[in-house]
Every structure is written in C-alpha cells, then in structure tokens.
Amino acid sequence: MKQDPLIPEIGVVTDIRTDTPDVKTFRVVGLDGKKPFTHIPGQCAMLSVPGVGEALFSITSSPTQTEYLEFSIKKCGCVTDWLHAMEPGRQITIRGPYGNGFPVDTDFAGKDLLFIAGGIGLAPLHSVINYCRHYRSRYGAIDIVYGSRSMEDLVDYPEILNEWSREDGIRVHLTIDREQPEWDGHVGFVPNYVRELAPDTARTVVMCGPPVMIKFTLAALMDLGFDRTSIYTTMELRMKCALGKCGRCNIGTKYVCKDGPVFRFDQLDELPDEY
Amino acid sequence: MKQIAKTELDTLFAAITAEQKLYIPADDSAGQAQFTLWRPGLALSGRLNTARSAKDLFFPQVENLVGFRMHAGAIERVETREEPEDFVIFGVRACDCRSFSILDRVFLSEPVDTFYQMRRAHATVVTLACTRPEETCFCAAMGVDAADPAGDVTCWLEDGTLLWRANTEKGEALTEKLPMLRPCPADAADAQQARTRALMQKLPLAKLDLSAFGAGKTRALFDRPEWASLSEACLGCGTCTFVCPTCQCYDVEEFRDGSSVRRFRCWDSCMYSDFTKMSAGQPRPTQRERFRQRFLHKLVYFPENNDGVFGCVGCGRCLAKCPIHMNIVKVIKTLGVTHA
Ligand code: SF4
Ligand code: SF4
Ligand code: FES
C-alpha cells in the first residue's frame, strides 16, 4: 500500500539560527542525512512535533541548495513555541512540498524584478531571491525593498548585507519603522518607501508581508501605475491537510494549499473577498 | 436480472455474511434506521433512508492516521492502519450512492487519500431503488434517478420479491456466490420504475429551480443581502454537515498518552466558528460567512471545480434534522429569485 500523503516522514533539525528576537531558522534533513524533497520557490511544507501539532511553513531555502531545507519561523503559537525551544539534533516530522510556487522559470524569466517584503514576509521571498541569484543571467535587474519594526527584526540581516547588497544588478532598500541610534538607513513604513522609490512600472513585483502592509503597498503600486497582472503575493489561511481535501483553506473556488499560496492580484480580484 | 422472495432475505444475507461483512439499514432502539452489521434475525428497516448517511463506512467520523513513539528527541513512526475486510453495504439509496461519486472526486483525485481508497476498494455497494419517496426528497432536481440507482448491484423490492441486477464486475462476482438468486425477466423492474418516476415528479421539491446556481455564479451570489436573514438563526451546530452524505471536511488532531502519540482525523464542519480561525485573523468572522461557505461550496464552488456536478444529492437529511428548520432548499428558493 502506497504511503498516505497525510503521513509524514521523520526529519532531523541539524541547525538552528537565531535571526531576530522572535524568528529562528531551522535546517532540516531526512533520516538519511539528505534533503527531504525538491521544491519550487514559494512552496511550503508541513512540519510537526508529534504531541504538539502540525503546521504549514514556507520553505525559505532555495531549490538550488541541494543538501537541506530551511525554514525561517516566527514564534506565534503551539508548534512554533515548541520549535523555538528545541535543541539542534532533535527530530520532527515533515511532509510536502505543497502549493504552486512562484513562476520562476516562466513568467519571471527575463524580467526586471521587484521584491517587497515586510517582517517575516521575507521568508517565502528568500527562496525565490536566492534562486534568482543562482540563475542570475535568467533575470534582469533585481530590487529588494524590505522593512521591519526595528533593525533587530530584519530577518537574514547578515546575508542581506554581506551577500545580496554586494552583488551587481541587485539593489537592496532596507527600512525600519522607527529611528534607532545605530541605524543610518531609511526610516518609515514599506508602502511609503515604495512610493518614494517610485520603481519602474515594467517590473514584475513579488510582495509578501502582513495584511496591512500588502494593502497599502498595493495601493501605492496602483498609484504608481503598476498592472495587477504583474504583482504576485502569497496567501496564508488555516490549513490542516495541505492536499485540497480537508475543506478548510478555500477562497471561493480556490484552495490556497493547492491552487496557491502564490496568486497574482488579478487572480485574487476574481475571487470573493474572504481572506 | 435475478430475484428472490422477500421472505428469503435472511438466507441471502446469511450467504453474503459467510464470505464477508454485511451492513444493512436496520432500526436502532430510537427507531431510526442506521447501517448495521447484519446478524441472523436483523430485519431490513422499513424506513426510506438511514438517519446518518452511508459515508460513515468509507469516511468514518474518527480514523487513526498514524502513531508516533517519542524517545529522547527521536521519533519512531508507528503504523496504525488496519486493512479492512471486504464488506457489502446493502440497501444504499440512489442519493447516497451518488454521494460516493462526489466523495470520490475529492478523495480519489491526486494526491489520493489512501484510507478512503482502501475502504472503497474493499466494498461492494448494493443499492435499493425507492418506491415511497418523502416530501423532503429532491434527488430528482439533482439529477439522481431514485428508480434506478447506480452501485455494483441494484435492487428493487416489489410485492414480496427482491429484484437484483449486477452492474459491475464486483457486482457479478458477488452474484455468482449467491445461488439462491433465481433468474427473472430483464424487464421485471420496469413497471415499478415508471411508477416511482411519476411519483417523483409529483413531489413538492421535484421542480426545484437550480438555474441561479452552478459554475461561475460566485460573483452573482456572494454579496446577496439575503445571506444575513438566511443565516440569522443558524446555531452553528454542524448537524447539517454531519448528516450530509457529501460533507467531507475534516480536522487532523492528536491524542497523547505518555510517550505515544496517535494522530487521527475526524469530521469537522465549516459551520464551526474555529474552522478557519488563525492566530493572525479570521476570514469568516460571523455565522453569515460560515453559512454562506457551506451552501456556496455545494451549489457553486464544487460544481465549478467538478464538471458542473452539484455537491448536494437532494437526500433531504438536512431538511429533516436542522434544529432551526433552515436548509439548502430554503437557500435555493431564496437566492434563486434573481433581482433584475
Ligand atoms: S443550518 Fe441548521 S443544522 Fe446547520 S449549523 Fe445551522 S442550525 Fe445547525
Ligand atoms: S445538503 Fe442536505 S439535501 Fe443536500 S446532500 Fe447534504 S444533507 Fe442531503
Ligand atoms: S488545507 Fe485542507 S483543503 Fe487546504
């Protein structure tokens, strides 16, 4: 009998990195020490701690990372509390990958890209940004606008500073909500910063972050003259099966776990406003 | 076509039971019909349909998925699945039989739900045509022919005789093991079928107009103001979803006992307030949104994703069981009136 898709594999957490006061990044391999499965940027996996619960997380590492999967996880509830308290070397369960992922090899190919993220919203974008960096020649200019509450809340700050911003053709625009003594960068909310930067409307935009940020940034992009067909985002709803069967995560006719989590705004416009 | 006298049903049931498990509709102590494991002397219910639907046998209310044993940071996965024995489910009505094909579209589409698939594979479905439909039945409006149900075998009860027609290989295989079934003319059920079909047309809900529903109707129906009054009295009890043969939402939960964990799934309901609740928000904050989800799923979302097939079979259970007398027919009638 084929293994049921609801039954997970055992995985090992080999490394835990503290990114911010409430975000840690977990490195996961299978029991054989290898990467549990291959994925597309933007896809997710179900992680669980038996006895505590199972939850869906976006895969933060790029598919081009061949040795392991990584997940940047914010502490917010049972499963994440437990993960944050654990020591490296412990086992968890993992199943996936789930969802559609970003059209990195089709719609994004050859385009100038603009990534906009707020807080932990960088997690799903991290995978696609590193994928685009790996296949750099396939994409045009890359701009990354990333904002958080404070310096300490910027996820992957060292990597952004030491790798992303040093590469040709990549521009990183960081912002934090309030002034801080050690900070000499931009201060202000992401939507306003996007307005100030006034990016070229020919860009394909990938946006991820808290709902308010999405709402106001979308308004800013519309005012700047962007087309909704070239703006992508990821949705997050409560999930249990991640297989399109438990009936929990639909927005109208679409199941976020199966038909999403990546949607273009013109696709979201077609769906009822229930998210 | 085969036949057997109704007085010999016990012999027939005993012969089936000799090979595999048999479930038939029988009255429980509360006088409600339920699919019950047959034992000598258990009589076929005279009621039209079972209180709970036949889905229980393929998608049980609670089902173990897998177990885990936890030892100092390590996890051992424990198989909890039990391969079911072959079984026969006798007396399934046309509506419930149609519900299996709806559940199949959910559970047998990729990635296949192997728990459901396994039960389906082990089952032989023997349906029973209706002769005395009730006022709450609207299967005909949903395109179900109560006089000629599908299934591996179709049966008709007529003047003290059970007529038996095998439809599939599984049905043929079962029939071969039952020598007490005697041949009879192929048209033996025709007269009954004609009578039942005429009767169905006279039912109060036979002409239920579904033209306002189906694929592509989300936009027209989603913001209709009537959802507020329709859902106003809904208790969010989930009775309608539990008795419904096509409702298939489930939850995955765990039971922990020391270092062992059992992960199981159980029925859930979109009518419940915590169904979509997240720490970050709630896309369906009031009963209005949950109520709308249940009916739009059956009448619009499901058909849109499944070749136009409605996610309701017209069994009428939700009409009979809702404590506040709300139901899908009222929803269809209220929203079916289109405003110019
Ligand atoms: S419609 Fe009726 S049965 Fe369904 S949840 Fe509401 S009150 Fe309960
Ligand atoms: S919605 Fe009501 S009438 Fe339709 S299949 Fe479900 S219980 Fe039966
Ligand atoms: S999480 Fe179960 S249907 Fe999407």
Side-chain angles (χ1 to χ4, degrees), chain A residues 238-249 255-257:
Chain A
R238 185 161 184 207
M239 303 200 183
K240 280 285 178 171
C241 70
L243 309 169
K245 297 186 197 287
C246 79
R248 195 169 309 261
C249 70
Y255 288 91
V256 172
C257 67

Side-chain angles (χ1 to χ4, degrees), chain B residues 233-240 271 287 291 295 322-324 326:
Chain B
C234 176
L235 306 167
C237 65
T239 302
C240 51
M271 287 295 205
Q287 200 57 23
F291 185 96
F295 296 102
C322 172
I324 58 138
M326 181 36 69

Side-chain angles (χ1 to χ4, degrees), chain B residues 138 240 243-246 294 298 312-319 328:
Chain B
F138 59 105
C240 51
V243 296
C244 179
T246 67
R294 175 162 196 268
K298 293 198 180 314
C312 165
V313 296
C315 73
R317 285 187 179 87
C318 61
L319 282 72
I328 193 163

